[in-house]
mmCIF file with all atom_site columns, all heavy atoms in Angstrom:
data_model
loop_
_atom_site.group_PDB
_atom_site.id
_atom_site.type_symbol
_atom_site.label_atom_id
_atom_site.label_alt_id
_atom_site.label_comp_id
_atom_site.label_asym_id
_atom_site.label_entity_id
_atom_site.label_seq_id
_atom_site.pdbx_PDB_ins_code
_atom_site.Cartn_x
_atom_site.Cartn_y
_atom_site.Cartn_z
_atom_site.occupancy
_atom_site.B_iso_or_equiv
_atom_site.pdbx_formal_charge
_atom_site.auth_seq_id
_atom_site.auth_comp_id
_atom_site.auth_asym_id
_atom_site.auth_atom_id
_atom_site.pdbx_PDB_model_num
ATOM 1   N N   . VAL A 1 1  ? 3.493  10.642  -6.587  1.00 0.00 ? 155 VAL A N   1
ATOM 2   C CA  . VAL A 1 1  ? 4.003  9.572   -7.474  1.00 0.00 ? 155 VAL A CA  1
ATOM 3   C C   . VAL A 1 1  ? 4.400  8.371   -6.616  1.00 0.00 ? 155 VAL A C   1
ATOM 4   O O   . VAL A 1 1  ? 4.130  7.242   -6.981  1.00 0.00 ? 155 VAL A O   1
ATOM 5   C CB  . VAL A 1 1  ? 5.209  10.090  -8.313  1.00 0.00 ? 155 VAL A CB  1
ATOM 6   C CG1 . VAL A 1 1  ? 5.920  8.960   -9.060  1.00 0.00 ? 155 VAL A CG1 1
ATOM 7   C CG2 . VAL A 1 1  ? 4.714  11.144  -9.326  1.00 0.00 ? 155 VAL A CG2 1
ATOM 8   N N   . LEU A 1 2  ? 5.123  8.599   -5.515  1.00 0.00 ? 156 LEU A N   1
ATOM 9   C CA  . LEU A 1 2  ? 5.491  7.466   -4.670  1.00 0.00 ? 156 LEU A CA  1
ATOM 10  C C   . LEU A 1 2  ? 4.295  6.752   -4.049  1.00 0.00 ? 156 LEU A C   1
ATOM 11  O O   . LEU A 1 2  ? 4.332  5.513   -4.015  1.00 0.00 ? 156 LEU A O   1
ATOM 12  C CB  . LEU A 1 2  ? 6.461  7.930   -3.519  1.00 0.00 ? 156 LEU A CB  1
ATOM 13  C CG  . LEU A 1 2  ? 7.824  8.379   -3.969  1.00 0.00 ? 156 LEU A CG  1
ATOM 14  C CD1 . LEU A 1 2  ? 8.607  8.904   -2.725  1.00 0.00 ? 156 LEU A CD1 1
ATOM 15  C CD2 . LEU A 1 2  ? 8.528  7.189   -4.592  1.00 0.00 ? 156 LEU A CD2 1
ATOM 16  N N   . SER A 1 3  ? 3.257  7.496   -3.678  1.00 0.00 ? 157 SER A N   1
ATOM 17  C CA  . SER A 1 3  ? 2.061  6.865   -3.155  1.00 0.00 ? 157 SER A CA  1
ATOM 18  C C   . SER A 1 3  ? 1.392  6.033   -4.196  1.00 0.00 ? 157 SER A C   1
ATOM 19  O O   . SER A 1 3  ? 0.915  4.925   -3.938  1.00 0.00 ? 157 SER A O   1
ATOM 20  C CB  . SER A 1 3  ? 1.071  7.934   -2.645  1.00 0.00 ? 157 SER A CB  1
ATOM 21  O OG  . SER A 1 3  ? 1.610  8.601   -1.524  1.00 0.00 ? 157 SER A OG  1
ATOM 22  N N   . ALA A 1 4  ? 1.311  6.542   -5.438  1.00 0.00 ? 158 ALA A N   1
ATOM 23  C CA  . ALA A 1 4  ? 0.739  5.737   -6.565  1.00 0.00 ? 158 ALA A CA  1
ATOM 24  C C   . ALA A 1 4  ? 1.550  4.505   -6.774  1.00 0.00 ? 158 ALA A C   1
ATOM 25  O O   . ALA A 1 4  ? 0.919  3.379   -6.943  1.00 0.00 ? 158 ALA A O   1
ATOM 26  C CB  . ALA A 1 4  ? 0.693  6.657   -7.811  1.00 0.00 ? 158 ALA A CB  1
ATOM 27  N N   . ALA A 1 5  ? 2.851  4.603   -6.771  1.00 0.00 ? 159 ALA A N   1
ATOM 28  C CA  . ALA A 1 5  ? 3.679  3.425   -6.980  1.00 0.00 ? 159 ALA A CA  1
ATOM 29  C C   . ALA A 1 5  ? 3.478  2.384   -5.889  1.00 0.00 ? 159 ALA A C   1
ATOM 30  O O   . ALA A 1 5  ? 3.444  1.199   -6.163  1.00 0.00 ? 159 ALA A O   1
ATOM 31  C CB  . ALA A 1 5  ? 5.153  3.879   -7.107  1.00 0.00 ? 159 ALA A CB  1
ATOM 32  N N   . VAL A 1 6  ? 3.393  2.835   -4.675  1.00 0.00 ? 160 VAL A N   1
ATOM 33  C CA  . VAL A 1 6  ? 3.159  1.886   -3.554  1.00 0.00 ? 160 VAL A CA  1
ATOM 34  C C   . VAL A 1 6  ? 1.799  1.170   -3.674  1.00 0.00 ? 160 VAL A C   1
ATOM 35  O O   . VAL A 1 6  ? 1.763  -0.029  -3.539  1.00 0.00 ? 160 VAL A O   1
ATOM 36  C CB  . VAL A 1 6  ? 3.222  2.661   -2.157  1.00 0.00 ? 160 VAL A CB  1
ATOM 37  C CG1 . VAL A 1 6  ? 2.635  1.847   -1.090  1.00 0.00 ? 160 VAL A CG1 1
ATOM 38  C CG2 . VAL A 1 6  ? 4.647  3.058   -1.856  1.00 0.00 ? 160 VAL A CG2 1
ATOM 39  N N   . LEU A 1 7  ? 0.788  1.884   -4.070  1.00 0.00 ? 161 LEU A N   1
ATOM 40  C CA  . LEU A 1 7  ? -0.531 1.296   -4.273  1.00 0.00 ? 161 LEU A CA  1
ATOM 41  C C   . LEU A 1 7  ? -0.501 0.213   -5.398  1.00 0.00 ? 161 LEU A C   1
ATOM 42  O O   . LEU A 1 7  ? -1.004 -0.842  -5.228  1.00 0.00 ? 161 LEU A O   1
ATOM 43  C CB  . LEU A 1 7  ? -1.594 2.368   -4.551  1.00 0.00 ? 161 LEU A CB  1
ATOM 44  C CG  . LEU A 1 7  ? -1.982 3.234   -3.320  1.00 0.00 ? 161 LEU A CG  1
ATOM 45  C CD1 . LEU A 1 7  ? -2.786 4.391   -3.757  1.00 0.00 ? 161 LEU A CD1 1
ATOM 46  C CD2 . LEU A 1 7  ? -2.685 2.397   -2.273  1.00 0.00 ? 161 LEU A CD2 1
ATOM 47  N N   . VAL A 1 8  ? 0.172  0.562   -6.480  1.00 0.00 ? 162 VAL A N   1
ATOM 48  C CA  . VAL A 1 8  ? 0.229  -0.390  -7.595  1.00 0.00 ? 162 VAL A CA  1
ATOM 49  C C   . VAL A 1 8  ? 1.054  -1.578  -7.140  1.00 0.00 ? 162 VAL A C   1
ATOM 50  O O   . VAL A 1 8  ? 0.683  -2.744  -7.483  1.00 0.00 ? 162 VAL A O   1
ATOM 51  C CB  . VAL A 1 8  ? 0.830  0.310   -8.888  1.00 0.00 ? 162 VAL A CB  1
ATOM 52  C CG1 . VAL A 1 8  ? 1.124  -0.751  -9.958  1.00 0.00 ? 162 VAL A CG1 1
ATOM 53  C CG2 . VAL A 1 8  ? -0.169 1.323   -9.439  1.00 0.00 ? 162 VAL A CG2 1
ATOM 54  N N   . HIS A 1 9  ? 2.176  -1.372  -6.494  1.00 0.00 ? 163 HIS A N   1
ATOM 55  C CA  . HIS A 1 9  ? 3.017  -2.466  -6.048  1.00 0.00 ? 163 HIS A CA  1
ATOM 56  C C   . HIS A 1 9  ? 2.229  -3.378  -5.086  1.00 0.00 ? 163 HIS A C   1
ATOM 57  O O   . HIS A 1 9  ? 2.238  -4.615  -5.205  1.00 0.00 ? 163 HIS A O   1
ATOM 58  C CB  . HIS A 1 9  ? 4.267  -1.955  -5.337  1.00 0.00 ? 163 HIS A CB  1
ATOM 59  C CG  . HIS A 1 9  ? 5.075  -3.041  -4.702  1.00 0.00 ? 163 HIS A CG  1
ATOM 60  N ND1 . HIS A 1 9  ? 5.832  -3.933  -5.490  1.00 0.00 ? 163 HIS A ND1 1
ATOM 61  C CD2 . HIS A 1 9  ? 5.241  -3.418  -3.433  1.00 0.00 ? 163 HIS A CD2 1
ATOM 62  C CE1 . HIS A 1 9  ? 6.421  -4.776  -4.686  1.00 0.00 ? 163 HIS A CE1 1
ATOM 63  N NE2 . HIS A 1 9  ? 6.104  -4.523  -3.422  1.00 0.00 ? 163 HIS A NE2 1
ATOM 64  N N   . LEU A 1 10 ? 1.539  -2.780  -4.186  1.00 0.00 ? 164 LEU A N   1
ATOM 65  C CA  . LEU A 1 10 ? 0.749  -3.607  -3.192  1.00 0.00 ? 164 LEU A CA  1
ATOM 66  C C   . LEU A 1 10 ? -0.373 -4.414  -3.950  1.00 0.00 ? 164 LEU A C   1
ATOM 67  O O   . LEU A 1 10 ? -0.628 -5.535  -3.586  1.00 0.00 ? 164 LEU A O   1
ATOM 68  C CB  . LEU A 1 10 ? 0.070  -2.698  -2.157  1.00 0.00 ? 164 LEU A CB  1
ATOM 69  C CG  . LEU A 1 10 ? 0.973  -2.021  -1.129  1.00 0.00 ? 164 LEU A CG  1
ATOM 70  C CD1 . LEU A 1 10 ? 0.211  -1.119  -0.248  1.00 0.00 ? 164 LEU A CD1 1
ATOM 71  C CD2 . LEU A 1 10 ? 1.719  -3.106  -0.302  1.00 0.00 ? 164 LEU A CD2 1
ATOM 72  N N   . ALA A 1 11 ? -0.956 -3.816  -4.956  1.00 0.00 ? 165 ALA A N   1
ATOM 73  C CA  . ALA A 1 11 ? -2.024 -4.452  -5.700  1.00 0.00 ? 165 ALA A CA  1
ATOM 74  C C   . ALA A 1 11 ? -1.432 -5.702  -6.444  1.00 0.00 ? 165 ALA A C   1
ATOM 75  O O   . ALA A 1 11 ? -2.063 -6.740  -6.506  1.00 0.00 ? 165 ALA A O   1
ATOM 76  C CB  . ALA A 1 11 ? -2.666 -3.509  -6.701  1.00 0.00 ? 165 ALA A CB  1
ATOM 77  N N   . LEU A 1 12 ? -0.235 -5.497  -7.061  1.00 0.00 ? 166 LEU A N   1
ATOM 78  C CA  . LEU A 1 12 ? 0.299  -6.573  -7.885  1.00 0.00 ? 166 LEU A CA  1
ATOM 79  C C   . LEU A 1 12 ? 1.117  -7.620  -7.076  1.00 0.00 ? 166 LEU A C   1
ATOM 80  O O   . LEU A 1 12 ? 1.305  -8.760  -7.537  1.00 0.00 ? 166 LEU A O   1
ATOM 81  C CB  . LEU A 1 12 ? 1.229  -5.993  -8.958  1.00 0.00 ? 166 LEU A CB  1
ATOM 82  C CG  . LEU A 1 12 ? 0.527  -5.016  -9.921  1.00 0.00 ? 166 LEU A CG  1
ATOM 83  C CD1 . LEU A 1 12 ? 1.547  -4.377  -10.878 1.00 0.00 ? 166 LEU A CD1 1
ATOM 84  C CD2 . LEU A 1 12 ? -0.597 -5.740  -10.682 1.00 0.00 ? 166 LEU A CD2 1
ATOM 85  N N   . ALA A 1 13 ? 1.598  -7.229  -5.906  1.00 0.00 ? 167 ALA A N   1
ATOM 86  C CA  . ALA A 1 13 ? 2.452  -8.174  -5.095  1.00 0.00 ? 167 ALA A CA  1
ATOM 87  C C   . ALA A 1 13 ? 1.643  -9.238  -4.402  1.00 0.00 ? 167 ALA A C   1
ATOM 88  O O   . ALA A 1 13 ? 2.240  -10.199 -3.887  1.00 0.00 ? 167 ALA A O   1
ATOM 89  C CB  . ALA A 1 13 ? 3.243  -7.345  -4.108  1.00 0.00 ? 167 ALA A CB  1
ATOM 90  N N   . GLY A 1 14 ? 0.363  -9.088  -4.292  1.00 0.00 ? 168 GLY A N   1
ATOM 91  C CA  . GLY A 1 14 ? -0.418 -10.084 -3.562  1.00 0.00 ? 168 GLY A CA  1
ATOM 92  C C   . GLY A 1 14 ? -0.509 -9.699  -2.064  1.00 0.00 ? 168 GLY A C   1
ATOM 93  O O   . GLY A 1 14 ? -0.205 -8.560  -1.690  1.00 0.00 ? 168 GLY A O   1
ATOM 94  N N   . ASP A 1 15 ? -0.928 -10.653 -1.277  1.00 0.00 ? 169 ASP A N   1
ATOM 95  C CA  . ASP A 1 15 ? -1.174 -10.382 0.122   1.00 0.00 ? 169 ASP A CA  1
ATOM 96  C C   . ASP A 1 15 ? 0.141  -10.470 0.896   1.00 0.00 ? 169 ASP A C   1
ATOM 97  O O   . ASP A 1 15 ? 0.649  -11.546 1.309   1.00 0.00 ? 169 ASP A O   1
ATOM 98  C CB  . ASP A 1 15 ? -2.142 -11.398 0.700   1.00 0.00 ? 169 ASP A CB  1
ATOM 99  C CG  . ASP A 1 15 ? -2.634 -11.001 2.052   1.00 0.00 ? 169 ASP A CG  1
ATOM 100 O OD1 . ASP A 1 15 ? -2.630 -9.803  2.426   1.00 0.00 ? 169 ASP A OD1 1
ATOM 101 O OD2 . ASP A 1 15 ? -3.062 -11.959 2.816   1.00 0.00 ? 169 ASP A OD2 1
ATOM 102 N N   . LEU A 1 16 ? 0.751  -9.350  1.131   1.00 0.00 ? 170 LEU A N   1
ATOM 103 C CA  . LEU A 1 16 ? 2.002  -9.228  1.895   1.00 0.00 ? 170 LEU A CA  1
ATOM 104 C C   . LEU A 1 16 ? 1.652  -8.763  3.408   1.00 0.00 ? 170 LEU A C   1
ATOM 105 O O   . LEU A 1 16 ? 0.619  -8.135  3.592   1.00 0.00 ? 170 LEU A O   1
ATOM 106 C CB  . LEU A 1 16 ? 2.967  -8.154  1.291   1.00 0.00 ? 170 LEU A CB  1
ATOM 107 C CG  . LEU A 1 16 ? 3.351  -8.411  -0.132  1.00 0.00 ? 170 LEU A CG  1
ATOM 108 C CD1 . LEU A 1 16 ? 4.128  -7.197  -0.669  1.00 0.00 ? 170 LEU A CD1 1
ATOM 109 C CD2 . LEU A 1 16 ? 4.188  -9.625  -0.303  1.00 0.00 ? 170 LEU A CD2 1
ATOM 110 N N   . PRO A 1 17 ? 2.564  -9.047  4.268   1.00 0.00 ? 171 PRO A N   1
ATOM 111 C CA  . PRO A 1 17 ? 2.297  -8.578  5.647   1.00 0.00 ? 171 PRO A CA  1
ATOM 112 C C   . PRO A 1 17 ? 2.191  -7.049  5.760   1.00 0.00 ? 171 PRO A C   1
ATOM 113 O O   . PRO A 1 17 ? 1.500  -6.545  6.679   1.00 0.00 ? 171 PRO A O   1
ATOM 114 C CB  . PRO A 1 17 ? 3.576  -9.058  6.428   1.00 0.00 ? 171 PRO A CB  1
ATOM 115 C CG  . PRO A 1 17 ? 4.184  -10.092 5.600   1.00 0.00 ? 171 PRO A CG  1
ATOM 116 C CD  . PRO A 1 17 ? 3.810  -9.757  4.157   1.00 0.00 ? 171 PRO A CD  1
ATOM 117 N N   . VAL A 1 18 ? 2.751  -6.303  4.825   1.00 0.00 ? 172 VAL A N   1
ATOM 118 C CA  . VAL A 1 18 ? 2.682  -4.850  4.886   1.00 0.00 ? 172 VAL A CA  1
ATOM 119 C C   . VAL A 1 18 ? 1.517  -4.265  4.133   1.00 0.00 ? 172 VAL A C   1
ATOM 120 O O   . VAL A 1 18 ? 1.311  -3.033  4.141   1.00 0.00 ? 172 VAL A O   1
ATOM 121 C CB  . VAL A 1 18 ? 3.979  -4.212  4.407   1.00 0.00 ? 172 VAL A CB  1
ATOM 122 C CG1 . VAL A 1 18 ? 5.203  -4.575  5.279   1.00 0.00 ? 172 VAL A CG1 1
ATOM 123 C CG2 . VAL A 1 18 ? 4.267  -4.534  2.935   1.00 0.00 ? 172 VAL A CG2 1
ATOM 124 N N   . THR A 1 19 ? 0.759  -5.105  3.413   1.00 0.00 ? 173 THR A N   1
ATOM 125 C CA  . THR A 1 19 ? -0.288 -4.581  2.568   1.00 0.00 ? 173 THR A CA  1
ATOM 126 C C   . THR A 1 19 ? -1.325 -3.749  3.360   1.00 0.00 ? 173 THR A C   1
ATOM 127 O O   . THR A 1 19 ? -1.630 -2.659  2.966   1.00 0.00 ? 173 THR A O   1
ATOM 128 C CB  . THR A 1 19 ? -1.019 -5.722  1.834   1.00 0.00 ? 173 THR A CB  1
ATOM 129 O OG1 . THR A 1 19 ? -0.026 -6.402  1.000   1.00 0.00 ? 173 THR A OG1 1
ATOM 130 C CG2 . THR A 1 19 ? -2.133 -5.139  0.912   1.00 0.00 ? 173 THR A CG2 1
ATOM 131 N N   . ARG A 1 20 ? -1.844 -4.350  4.433   1.00 0.00 ? 174 ARG A N   1
ATOM 132 C CA  . ARG A 1 20 ? -2.888 -3.616  5.160   1.00 0.00 ? 174 ARG A CA  1
ATOM 133 C C   . ARG A 1 20 ? -2.352 -2.346  5.821   1.00 0.00 ? 174 ARG A C   1
ATOM 134 O O   . ARG A 1 20 ? -2.901 -1.251  5.612   1.00 0.00 ? 174 ARG A O   1
ATOM 135 C CB  . ARG A 1 20 ? -3.502 -4.462  6.257   1.00 0.00 ? 174 ARG A CB  1
ATOM 136 C CG  . ARG A 1 20 ? -4.402 -5.594  5.565   1.00 0.00 ? 174 ARG A CG  1
ATOM 137 C CD  . ARG A 1 20 ? -5.006 -6.482  6.605   1.00 0.00 ? 174 ARG A CD  1
ATOM 138 N NE  . ARG A 1 20 ? -5.923 -5.824  7.527   1.00 0.00 ? 174 ARG A NE  1
ATOM 139 C CZ  . ARG A 1 20 ? -7.223 -5.575  7.274   1.00 0.00 ? 174 ARG A CZ  1
ATOM 140 N NH1 . ARG A 1 20 ? -7.755 -6.004  6.207   1.00 0.00 ? 174 ARG A NH1 1
ATOM 141 N NH2 . ARG A 1 20 ? -7.938 -4.951  8.196   1.00 0.00 ? 174 ARG A NH2 1
ATOM 142 N N   . PRO A 1 21 ? -1.234 -2.302  6.568   1.00 0.00 ? 175 PRO A N   1
ATOM 143 C CA  . PRO A 1 21 ? -0.765 -1.118  7.139   1.00 0.00 ? 175 PRO A CA  1
ATOM 144 C C   . PRO A 1 21 ? -0.429 -0.011  6.113   1.00 0.00 ? 175 PRO A C   1
ATOM 145 O O   . PRO A 1 21 ? -0.722 1.158   6.283   1.00 0.00 ? 175 PRO A O   1
ATOM 146 C CB  . PRO A 1 21 ? 0.498  -1.530  7.944   1.00 0.00 ? 175 PRO A CB  1
ATOM 147 C CG  . PRO A 1 21 ? 0.476  -2.952  8.090   1.00 0.00 ? 175 PRO A CG  1
ATOM 148 C CD  . PRO A 1 21 ? -0.420 -3.514  7.026   1.00 0.00 ? 175 PRO A CD  1
ATOM 149 N N   . LEU A 1 22 ? 0.298  -0.452  5.024   1.00 0.00 ? 176 LEU A N   1
ATOM 150 C CA  . LEU A 1 22 ? 0.653  0.594   4.021   1.00 0.00 ? 176 LEU A CA  1
ATOM 151 C C   . LEU A 1 22 ? -0.613 1.108   3.262   1.00 0.00 ? 176 LEU A C   1
ATOM 152 O O   . LEU A 1 22 ? -0.712 2.255   2.976   1.00 0.00 ? 176 LEU A O   1
ATOM 153 C CB  . LEU A 1 22 ? 1.633  -0.002  3.021   1.00 0.00 ? 176 LEU A CB  1
ATOM 154 C CG  . LEU A 1 22 ? 3.070  0.118   3.377   1.00 0.00 ? 176 LEU A CG  1
ATOM 155 C CD1 . LEU A 1 22 ? 3.957  -0.557  2.329   1.00 0.00 ? 176 LEU A CD1 1
ATOM 156 C CD2 . LEU A 1 22 ? 3.477  1.533   3.514   1.00 0.00 ? 176 LEU A CD2 1
ATOM 157 N N   . GLY A 1 23 ? -1.510 0.189   2.997   1.00 0.00 ? 177 GLY A N   1
ATOM 158 C CA  . GLY A 1 23 ? -2.734 0.563   2.361   1.00 0.00 ? 177 GLY A CA  1
ATOM 159 C C   . GLY A 1 23 ? -3.529 1.542   3.159   1.00 0.00 ? 177 GLY A C   1
ATOM 160 O O   . GLY A 1 23 ? -4.018 2.607   2.666   1.00 0.00 ? 177 GLY A O   1
ATOM 161 N N   . TRP A 1 24 ? -3.635 1.285   4.507   1.00 0.00 ? 178 TRP A N   1
ATOM 162 C CA  . TRP A 1 24 ? -4.364 2.241   5.380   1.00 0.00 ? 178 TRP A CA  1
ATOM 163 C C   . TRP A 1 24 ? -3.573 3.548   5.472   1.00 0.00 ? 178 TRP A C   1
ATOM 164 O O   . TRP A 1 24 ? -4.197 4.631   5.566   1.00 0.00 ? 178 TRP A O   1
ATOM 165 C CB  . TRP A 1 24 ? -4.528 1.643   6.778   1.00 0.00 ? 178 TRP A CB  1
ATOM 166 C CG  . TRP A 1 24 ? -5.679 0.688   6.814   1.00 0.00 ? 178 TRP A CG  1
ATOM 167 C CD1 . TRP A 1 24 ? -5.570 -0.665  7.095   1.00 0.00 ? 178 TRP A CD1 1
ATOM 168 C CD2 . TRP A 1 24 ? -7.041 0.915   6.569   1.00 0.00 ? 178 TRP A CD2 1
ATOM 169 N NE1 . TRP A 1 24 ? -6.817 -1.272  7.058   1.00 0.00 ? 178 TRP A NE1 1
ATOM 170 C CE2 . TRP A 1 24 ? -7.741 -0.340  6.726   1.00 0.00 ? 178 TRP A CE2 1
ATOM 171 C CE3 . TRP A 1 24 ? -7.764 2.008   6.246   1.00 0.00 ? 178 TRP A CE3 1
ATOM 172 C CZ2 . TRP A 1 24 ? -9.135 -0.439  6.565   1.00 0.00 ? 178 TRP A CZ2 1
ATOM 173 C CZ3 . TRP A 1 24 ? -9.161 1.916   6.059   1.00 0.00 ? 178 TRP A CZ3 1
ATOM 174 C CH2 . TRP A 1 24 ? -9.825 0.672   6.169   1.00 0.00 ? 178 TRP A CH2 1
ATOM 175 N N   . PHE A 1 25 ? -2.225 3.509   5.506   1.00 0.00 ? 179 PHE A N   1
ATOM 176 C CA  . PHE A 1 25 ? -1.466 4.692   5.612   1.00 0.00 ? 179 PHE A CA  1
ATOM 177 C C   . PHE A 1 25 ? -1.676 5.585   4.380   1.00 0.00 ? 179 PHE A C   1
ATOM 178 O O   . PHE A 1 25 ? -1.949 6.764   4.473   1.00 0.00 ? 179 PHE A O   1
ATOM 179 C CB  . PHE A 1 25 ? -0.005 4.380   5.720   1.00 0.00 ? 179 PHE A CB  1
ATOM 180 C CG  . PHE A 1 25 ? 0.877  5.641   5.723   1.00 0.00 ? 179 PHE A CG  1
ATOM 181 C CD1 . PHE A 1 25 ? 0.967  6.435   6.856   1.00 0.00 ? 179 PHE A CD1 1
ATOM 182 C CD2 . PHE A 1 25 ? 1.540  5.995   4.554   1.00 0.00 ? 179 PHE A CD2 1
ATOM 183 C CE1 . PHE A 1 25 ? 1.777  7.608   6.832   1.00 0.00 ? 179 PHE A CE1 1
ATOM 184 C CE2 . PHE A 1 25 ? 2.337  7.143   4.507   1.00 0.00 ? 179 PHE A CE2 1
ATOM 185 C CZ  . PHE A 1 25 ? 2.420  7.944   5.642   1.00 0.00 ? 179 PHE A CZ  1
ATOM 186 N N   . VAL A 1 26 ? -1.574 5.026   3.204   1.00 0.00 ? 180 VAL A N   1
ATOM 187 C CA  . VAL A 1 26 ? -1.786 5.770   1.970   1.00 0.00 ? 180 VAL A CA  1
ATOM 188 C C   . VAL A 1 26 ? -3.263 6.310   1.878   1.00 0.00 ? 180 VAL A C   1
ATOM 189 O O   . VAL A 1 26 ? -3.502 7.422   1.519   1.00 0.00 ? 180 VAL A O   1
ATOM 190 C CB  . VAL A 1 26 ? -1.447 4.986   0.714   1.00 0.00 ? 180 VAL A CB  1
ATOM 191 C CG1 . VAL A 1 26 ? -1.751 5.806   -0.551  1.00 0.00 ? 180 VAL A CG1 1
ATOM 192 C CG2 . VAL A 1 26 ? 0.043  4.628   0.715   1.00 0.00 ? 180 VAL A CG2 1
ATOM 193 N N   . SER A 1 27 ? -4.198 5.477   2.318   1.00 0.00 ? 181 SER A N   1
ATOM 194 C CA  . SER A 1 27 ? -5.545 5.913   2.337   1.00 0.00 ? 181 SER A CA  1
ATOM 195 C C   . SER A 1 27 ? -5.736 7.130   3.264   1.00 0.00 ? 181 SER A C   1
ATOM 196 O O   . SER A 1 27 ? -6.407 8.133   2.933   1.00 0.00 ? 181 SER A O   1
ATOM 197 C CB  . SER A 1 27 ? -6.510 4.776   2.754   1.00 0.00 ? 181 SER A CB  1
ATOM 198 O OG  . SER A 1 27 ? -7.813 5.172   2.805   1.00 0.00 ? 181 SER A OG  1
ATOM 199 N N   . ALA A 1 28 ? -5.212 6.994   4.469   1.00 0.00 ? 182 ALA A N   1
ATOM 200 C CA  . ALA A 1 28 ? -5.305 8.120   5.438   1.00 0.00 ? 182 ALA A CA  1
ATOM 201 C C   . ALA A 1 28 ? -4.623 9.338   4.916   1.00 0.00 ? 182 ALA A C   1
ATOM 202 O O   . ALA A 1 28 ? -5.070 10.481  5.105   1.00 0.00 ? 182 ALA A O   1
ATOM 203 C CB  . ALA A 1 28 ? -4.705 7.673   6.775   1.00 0.00 ? 182 ALA A CB  1
ATOM 204 N N   . HIS A 1 29 ? -3.528 9.175   4.281   1.00 0.00 ? 183 HIS A N   1
ATOM 205 C CA  . HIS A 1 29 ? -2.789 10.214  3.666   1.00 0.00 ? 183 HIS A CA  1
ATOM 206 C C   . HIS A 1 29 ? -3.595 11.030  2.657   1.00 0.00 ? 183 HIS A C   1
ATOM 207 O O   . HIS A 1 29 ? -3.642 12.243  2.660   1.00 0.00 ? 183 HIS A O   1
ATOM 208 C CB  . HIS A 1 29 ? -1.591 9.492   2.935   1.00 0.00 ? 183 HIS A CB  1
ATOM 209 C CG  . HIS A 1 29 ? -0.481 10.370  2.497   1.00 0.00 ? 183 HIS A CG  1
ATOM 210 N ND1 . HIS A 1 29 ? 0.482  10.832  3.310   1.00 0.00 ? 183 HIS A ND1 1
ATOM 211 C CD2 . HIS A 1 29 ? -0.171 10.757  1.216   1.00 0.00 ? 183 HIS A CD2 1
ATOM 212 C CE1 . HIS A 1 29 ? 1.334  11.480  2.593   1.00 0.00 ? 183 HIS A CE1 1
ATOM 213 N NE2 . HIS A 1 29 ? 0.951  11.533  1.347   1.00 0.00 ? 183 HIS A NE2 1
#
C-alpha cells in the first residue's frame, strides 16, 4: 500500500528531485 501511494504521489506531484531515486527504488523493490 505504501509503495502504491508513493508511486501515485510521484505521478501527480510532477518532476520532484526525489522522483527518479524513489521511482527506481520502488521499481527495484
Side-chain angles (χ1 to χ4, degrees):
V155 171
L156 288 176
S157 295
V160 164
L161 289 169
V162 169
H163 174 73
L164 291 175
L166 299 177
D169 192 25
L170 301 173
V172 296
T173 299
R174 290 180 62 87
L176 272 177
W178 283 116
F179 175 78
V180 174
S181 178
H183 192 79

